[in-house]
Amino acid sequence: MSDANVRLLQSDDLSVLIHLENLCFNASWSETQLQKQLNGERNIGFAYLINQKVSGFVIFSTLFDEAELLQIGIDPALQGQGLAGNLLTQAHRELQTRQITRILLEVRDSNRAAISLYHRLGYQQDGIRKGYYPAEQGAAGLGREDAVLMSCNL
Ligand SMILES: CC(C)(COP(=O)(O)OP(=O)(O)OC[C@H]1O[C@@H](n2cnc3c(N)ncnc32)[C@H](O)[C@@H]1OP(=O)(O)O)[C@@H](O)C(=O)NCCC(=O)NCCS
């Protein structure tokens, strides 16, 4: 891959992924789920390295010429500096070389940082899945939250 800061995730990245996942998400994937996502036959993940340290990651599941963005996270200490954009741009390029033409994702309606990032990277909103997520702890409302469905053509 052309960018020295981005490389493919490997199965021995599991412990650092668990650490990042816990830092980034309230309701995070369990170790077993992460292991499954990391080693899934159709999955491909990318690590973002700062000073040789994995500081962000993104994991996709692929099917034929489409990929679903399953999870993306940047170390909270480094958020707001455009790192996720760099990571996703590199990941898009690599997926293109693997004949992927379209990426789909779903994101919590309240996740403004992520939605803004996806728009900037050329994703468009395709629809809303009502009450798809359990509300996060401390959120107002009746206990469910909508998912925003987005996609982009590579
Ligand atoms: C979503 C996420 C990956 C974005 O990574 P990032 O490297 O911070 O991305 P950017 O620097 O491009 O910032 C994205 C937007 O969030 C805002 N933002 C991010 N961190 C911020 C912070 N700490 N304070 C204020 N704004 C912040 C940025 O200003 C930007 O908004 P803009 O597009 O309107 O300018 C990161 O916030 C994250 O890991 N979140 C937790 C995990 C998550 O929600 N993943 C997505 C769902 S799977």
Side-chain angles (χ1 to χ4, degrees):
M1 296 183 55
S2 55
D3 187 334
N5 292 322
V6 178
R7 66 156 169 79
L8 291 177
L9 277 175
Q10 298 146 1
S11 44
D12 60 2
D13 288 318
L14 181 62
S15 56
V16 74
L17 268 198
I18 293 167
H19 177 66
L20 270 180
E21 176 84 10
N22 288 330
L23 286 178
C24 291
F25 294 93
N26 288 335
S28 53
W29 283 349
S30 67
E31 180 171 342
T32 314
Q33 284 171 310
L34 265 175
Q35 194 165 27
K36 213 171 128 198
Q37 299 303 343
L38 193 56
N39 297 320
E41 225 172 73
R42 291 189 289 105
N43 292 4
I44 176 165
F46 301 88
Y48 196 97
L49 297 153
I50 307 247
N51 298 329
Q52 327 264 319
K53 189 179 162 214
V54 178
S55 304
F57 71 98
V58 60
I59 301 179
F60 299 87
S61 161
T62 63
L63 187 62
F64 302 111
D65 60 347
E66 287 191 344
E68 183 183 2
L69 193 162
L70 299 175
Q71 195 84 300
I72 181 167
I74 296 289
D75 183 335
L78 299 166
Q79 288 176 11
Q81 301 175 39
L83 301 191
N86 292 344
L87 171 61
L88 260 186
T89 302
Q90 277 296 121
H92 284 180
R93 276 194 209 131
E94 179 64 20
L95 289 173
Q96 253 180 320
T97 69
R98 294 167 187 241
Q99 276 65 57
I100 299 295
T101 60
R102 188 159 182 256
I103 304 191
L104 302 114
L105 61 84
E106 58 211 17
V107 55
R108 282 180 182 272
D109 188 37
S110 62
N111 196 341
R112 293 291 121 189
I115 290 172
S116 170
L117 165 76
Y118 299 140
H119 276 304
R120 205 168 345 112
L121 271 279
Y123 288 76
Q124 63 176 36
Q125 182 172 327
D126 297 325
I128 296 282
R129 202 166 271 154
K130 281 268 164 215
Y132 181 70
Y133 295 109
E136 289 196 310
Q137 260 184 344
L142 294 174
R144 305 296 303 179
E145 182 177 355
D146 296 346
V148 179
L149 307 178
M150 303 183 83
S151 67
C152 98
N153 294 322
L154 295 182

